[in-house]
């Protein structure tokens, strides 16, 4: 049962991250970001005690809440339109994301024993998957809100990886601070952008 | 004897609390600016006072500070011989806050600059020291409201800056994990190579070293000049301290023969690229970025020559360099305000010398100082460094020479632009120079005098910092 939950959470987190990369609708992105952070819990719980494993998902929820409140303030929360046709940019990002994940899947069996022998293959796939999808998001957007989400995804993957390599409470605390600051930066840009539009 | 606190509380936690407290006083501008200026000055002075052995006899009381604090499972420690560095960073914060009311760029500058300085102090003294990478990411995020204030759109420079600083974080942390067992490992060659590459790439991204420097000119072009000059100056200074700390801690890295040669080449390439690109620039706001890049090159060269006096050269240039950035940032900011022009293209600067003669003189002298022209404050140390080059590898000297030549060409182009007005404006401008007020006259005279006096008597600036490298025992000869 635990294994199924672990695997399900792992792939759901990656799928959420892929959806964030592809579709640029604020409401949908916030929901998928929440799912992505929630899915970290079963993965982290597989090797960390409950009180520590809950830190990263909880921070993620706080981050999403901060972003949600700022979007509400500027009227950015709208109905999700799933029927909207994919644009060429979205198709490109989807293909690029899937390609990168496939490459990772192909190379992890060689990479894992030589560079990260202490990290299980599936776990490494999740970490590196989030990292590359985050980088792809950072590299394909000029909108600060998505930049913030891209960095959050990137750091989420890295934090997962580093937790497995060398867990430290201090580092965890610092990364929580970074995540919260990122959310505030995202909110700052959302509000700034709304003010510019209004003036 | 009383033991009221420790160095961490005094120079890290207290400034952060005060920074938050002062941010609520923004409405009362005079009080806010006064506090923003006095707090870093007081902290800098206290750091000098306690720098002997963390004790002070005051009003019949003997005050002793403890030097470390446990945070979660790790420690922060600032010892007496490291307080010189702390003092230097807070003095820098004071210098920028001193003229902040004139620049009128951001109402948050006073409080955020204090927090940012406190975080840079944290970077120097965190253990394990590579965790500082996360603190640097925090600093980057904290500086965003200053670099992209409300009312101006966030452009590519900010995005690239944020991306570069974020990408550096995992590289540095992973290098720390990768090399954790390197001293005892029997076959560490592959680990040394990986660790070195990750660390160097991290520093390249952080400092905007050539060829990953594209965010630097974009950032200075898009951001308010006074604010960006502060953030870049304190970043360059703190990261050079941090680089020395990394070298001091990692024996395997310090003793790599390839490292010295790499640092020399990277340094020379930075100077070369900065000079060549700057020579063709047509925007005044981009210039500080190229001087920043060139100075990063000189810092790396100084570190590479540490065996033959490079660290002394680095120490000698610290204050003159900061002074140069300070004057450059101030003159660019003043010109931007005076012209009410955010772009500051060379075309819009034509004949400016006749309208703002003193600000123009200030700009010229800051550029000459940073280029390393004779008589100016940076020159004595720069001359020693240039003299070290030919002994080594000739192509390095050629690269540096071309870089300096590029900077001189830039200076001459800017001089010509500022002195020669457009044809249709020439008579009007030359006949009616704009008045710049007695305060500015006094300030410019003082700054020029200081630049030249420090150029003639370099020891005046060097003496207070003789003990600056005391904590880097492994790097000293």
């Amino acid at each position: 049962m635990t294994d199924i939950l672990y695997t399900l959470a792992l792939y759901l987190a990656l799928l959420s991250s892929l959806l964030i990369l592809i579709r640029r609708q604020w409401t949908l992105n916030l929901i998928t970001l929440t799912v992505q952070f929630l899915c970290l819990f079963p993965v982290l719980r597989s090797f960390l005690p409950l009180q520590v494993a809950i830190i990263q998902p909880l921070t993620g929820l706080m981050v999403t809440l901060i972003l949600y409140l700022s979007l509400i303030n500027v009227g950015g929360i709208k109905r999700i339109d799933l029927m909207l046709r994919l644009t060429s940019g979205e198709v490109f990002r989807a293909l690029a994301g899937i390609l990168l994940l496939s490459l990772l899947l192909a190379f992890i069996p060689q990479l894992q024993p030589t560079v990260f022998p202490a990290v299980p293959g599936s776990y490494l796939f999740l970490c590196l998957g989030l990292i590359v999808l985050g980088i792809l998001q950072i590299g394909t957007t000029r909108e600060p809100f998505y930049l913030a989400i891209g960095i959050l995804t990137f750091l989420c993957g890295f934090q997962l990886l580093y937790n497995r390599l060398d867990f430290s409470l201090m580092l965890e605390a610092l990364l929580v601070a970074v995540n919260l600051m990122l959310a505030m930066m995202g909110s700052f840009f959302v509000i700034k952008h709304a003010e510019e539009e209004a003036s | 004897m009383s033991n009221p606190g420790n160095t961490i509380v005094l120079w890290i936690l207290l400034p952060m609390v005060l920074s938050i407290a002062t941010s609520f006083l923004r409405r009362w501008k005079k009080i806010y600016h006064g506090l923003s200026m006095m707090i870093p000055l007081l902290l800098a002075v206290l750091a000098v006072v306690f720098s002997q052995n963390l004790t002070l006899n005051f009003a019949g009381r003997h005050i002793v500070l403890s030097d470390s604090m446990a945070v979660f499972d790790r420690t922060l420690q600032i010892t007496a011989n490291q307080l010189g560095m702390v003092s230097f960073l807070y003095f820098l914060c004071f210098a920028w806050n001193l003229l902040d009311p004139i620049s009128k760029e951001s109402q948050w500058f006073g409080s955020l600059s204090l927090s940012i300085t406190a975080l840079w102090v944290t970077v120097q003294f965190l253990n394990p020291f590579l965790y500082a990478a996360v603190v640097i990411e925090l600093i980057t995020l904290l500086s965003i409201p200053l670099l992209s204030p409300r009312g101006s759109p966030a452009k590519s420079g900010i995005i690239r800056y944020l991306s570069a600083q974020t990408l550096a974080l995992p590289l540095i942390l992973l290098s720390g994990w990768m090399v954790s067992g390197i001293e005892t490992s029997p076959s560490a060659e592959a680990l040394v190579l990986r660790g070195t590459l990750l660390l160097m790439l991290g520093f390249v991204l952080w400092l905007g070293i050539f060829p990953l420097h594209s965010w630097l000119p974009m950032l200075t072009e898009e951001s308010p000049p006074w604010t960006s000059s502060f953030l870049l100056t304190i970043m360059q200074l703190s990261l050079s301290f941090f680089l020395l700390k990394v070298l001091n801690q990692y024996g395997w890295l310090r003793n790599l023969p390839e490292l010295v040669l790499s640092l020399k080449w990277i340094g020379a390439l930075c100077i070369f690229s900065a000079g060549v690109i700057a020579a063709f620039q047509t925007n005044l706001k981009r210039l500080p970025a190229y001087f920043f890049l060139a100075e990063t090159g000189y810092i790396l060269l100084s570190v590479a020559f540490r065996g033959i006096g490079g660290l002394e050269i680095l120490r000698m240039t610290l204050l003159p360099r900061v002074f140069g950035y300070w004057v450059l940032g101030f003159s660019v900011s003043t010109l931007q305000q005076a012209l009410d022009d955010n772009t500051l293209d060379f075309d819009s600067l034509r004949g400016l010398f006749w309208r703002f003669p003193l600000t123009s003189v200030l700009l010229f002298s800051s550029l000459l100082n940073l280029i390393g022209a004779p008589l100016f404050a940076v020159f004595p140390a720069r001359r020693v460094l240039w003299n070290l080059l030919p002994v080594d590898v000739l192509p390095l000297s050629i690269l540096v020479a071309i870089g300096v030549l590029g900077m001189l060409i830039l200076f001459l182009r800017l001089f010509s632009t500022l002195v020669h007005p457009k044809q249709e404006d020439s008579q009007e401008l030359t006949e009616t120079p704009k008045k710049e007020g007695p305060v500015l006259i006094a300030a410019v005279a003082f700054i020029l005098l200081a630049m030249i006096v420090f150029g003639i008597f370099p020891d005046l600036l060097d003496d207070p910092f003789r003990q600056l490298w005391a904590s880097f025992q492994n790097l000293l000869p």
Side-chain angles (χ1 to χ4, degrees), chain B residues 10-23 25 31-47 86-87 89-91 93-95 97-98 110-111 113-115 117-118:
Chain B
L10 194 53
W11 284 288
I12 294 176
L13 299 181
L14 183 66
M16 286 192 189
V17 173
L18 289 175
S19 156
I20 296 167
T22 51
S23 68
L25 301 173
I31 299 173
Y32 176 65
H33 289 308
L35 285 174
S36 307
M37 197 174 65
M38 290 311 294
I39 293 168
L41 179 64
L42 192 68
L43 290 168
V45 171
L46 279 175
V86 176
S87 170
L89 292 175
Y90 279 110
F91 181 75
C93 179
F94 158 72
N97 273 299
L98 185 68
S111 52
S113 63
L114 191 58
S115 287
T117 311

Side-chain angles (χ1 to χ4, degrees), chain B residues 152-168:
Chain B
S152 64
K155 294 183 188 158
S156 313
I158 303 279
I159 290 175
R160 284 197 192 191
Y161 164 65
L162 190 53
S163 309
Q165 303 297 311
T166 305
L167 290 176

Side-chain angles (χ1 to χ4, degrees), chain B residues 285 332 335-345 348-349:
Chain B
K285 285 183 79 178
V332 176
L335 284 177
Q336 180 172 302
Q337 267 189 68
L339 295 175
D340 200 15
D341 174 16
N342 268 339
T343 55
L344 291 185
D345 276 332
S348 65
L349 302 176

Side-chain angles (χ1 to χ4, degrees), chain A residues 114-119 131 135 138-139 141-144 147-148 151 154-155 158 161-162 165-171 173-175 177-179 181-182 185 188-189 191-192 195-196, chain B residues 71-76 126-128 131-132 134-135 137-138 141-142 144-146 148-156 158-159 162-163 166-167 169-171 173-174 176-178 194:
Chain A
T114 49
V115 185
F116 302 107
V119 184
I131 288 175
I135 291 179
I138 294 170
T141 186
R142 288 187 65 190
E143 206 180 313
L147 178 78
I151 294 177
F154 171 75
L155 285 180
F158 175 71
L161 180 63
Y162 212 80
L165 297 172
D166 181 17
F167 182 81
S168 151
L169 265 183
M170 185 187 229
L171 191 66
L174 285 170
L175 285 169
V178 166
N179 277 314
M181 282 289 293
L182 258 171
M185 189 208 76
F188 171 74
F189 279 121
I191 291 166
K192 205 161 85 103
E195 282 177 351
E196 280 154 22
Chain B
V71 183
F72 294 114
D73 46 353
R74 311 292 165 138
T75 55
L76 277 161
L126 194 64
N127 278 319
Y131 284 8
V134 192
V135 183
E137 176 71 9
L138 273 176
L141 293 170
L142 208 56
I144 295 294
L146 292 177
S148 178
R150 288 167 90 161
S152 64
K155 294 183 188 158
S156 313
I158 303 279
I159 290 175
L162 190 53
S163 309
T166 305
L167 290 176
L169 160 71
L171 298 177
L173 280 179
L174 279 179
W177 162 76
M178 209 165 264
R194 278 184 217 158

Side-chain angles (χ1 to χ4, degrees), chain B residues 8-148:
Chain B
I8 305 301
V9 173
L10 194 53
W11 284 288
I12 294 176
L13 299 181
L14 183 66
M16 286 192 189
V17 173
L18 289 175
S19 156
I20 296 167
T22 51
S23 68
F24 291 109
L25 301 173
R26 290 189 326 278
R27 201 184 300 167
W28 299 279
K29 283 187 178 162
K30 283 189 178 165
I31 299 173
Y32 176 65
H33 289 308
L35 285 174
S36 307
M37 197 174 65
M38 290 311 294
I39 293 168
L41 179 64
L42 192 68
L43 290 168
V45 171
L46 279 175
V48 173
V49 169
F50 280 100
S51 64
Q52 288 304 314
N53 45 10
L54 296 181
T55 57
L56 170 69
N57 289 311
F58 180 71
R61 292 186 68 187
H62 187 62
I63 302 166
V64 184
L65 297 179
S66 55
D67 65 0
S68 65
M69 180 186 259
V71 183
F72 294 114
D73 46 353
R74 311 292 165 138
T75 55
L76 277 161
Q77 185 177 40
I78 305 179
T79 57
N81 64 12
Q82 292 166 329
L83 283 178
M85 230 182 280
V86 176
S87 170
F88 199 95
L89 292 175
Y90 279 110
F91 181 75
L92 202 143
C93 179
F94 158 72
W96 257 265
N97 273 299
L98 185 68
L99 296 185
D100 181 50
I102 302 172
S103 80
K104 296 175 194 150
E105 283 177 1
S106 167
Q107 55 171 339
W108 291 94
F109 185 81
S111 52
L112 282 182
S113 63
L114 191 58
S115 287
I116 287 170
T117 311
L119 285 174
W120 277 119
V121 171
T122 314
V123 165
Q124 310 304 326
F125 305 112
L126 194 64
N127 278 319
F129 66 98
L130 288 181
Y131 284 8
V134 192
V135 183
I136 295 175
E137 176 71 9
L138 273 176
I139 295 170
T140 307
L141 293 170
L142 208 56
S143 61
I144 295 294
L146 292 177
L147 290 168
S148 178

Side-chain angles (χ1 to χ4, degrees), chain B residues 78-79 82 172 174 187 243 250 293 335 366 377 383 456 466:
Chain B
I78 305 179
T79 57
Q82 292 166 329
I172 298 288
L174 279 179
S187 56
L243 175 65
Y250 284 156
L293 180 61
L335 284 177
S366 67
R383 187 183 62 85
I456 298 170
R466 293 249 177 238

Side-chain angles (χ1 to χ4, degrees), chain A residues 76-141:
Chain A
I77 298 293
K78 292 179 184 141
R79 251 181 91 93
I80 303 168
D81 188 359
L82 287 173
M83 293 301 126
L84 213 64
R85 278 190 63 184
L86 286 174
T87 63
S88 55
E90 287 172 336
V91 173
F92 167 75
R93 289 196 297 274
L95 289 177
I98 291 167
L99 177 73
L100 281 175
L101 290 180
S102 317
L103 282 174
L104 271 182
L105 214 50
F107 283 106
I108 276 178
Q110 285 88 47
L111 187 75
Q112 190 259 338
T114 49
V115 185
F116 302 107
V119 184
S122 59
Y123 187 91
L124 190 62
F125 177 55
L126 172 64
C127 304
L128 296 183
L130 290 175
I131 288 175
V132 294
L133 291 177
I135 291 179
L136 198 58
Q137 175 85 291
I138 294 170
T140 53
T141 186

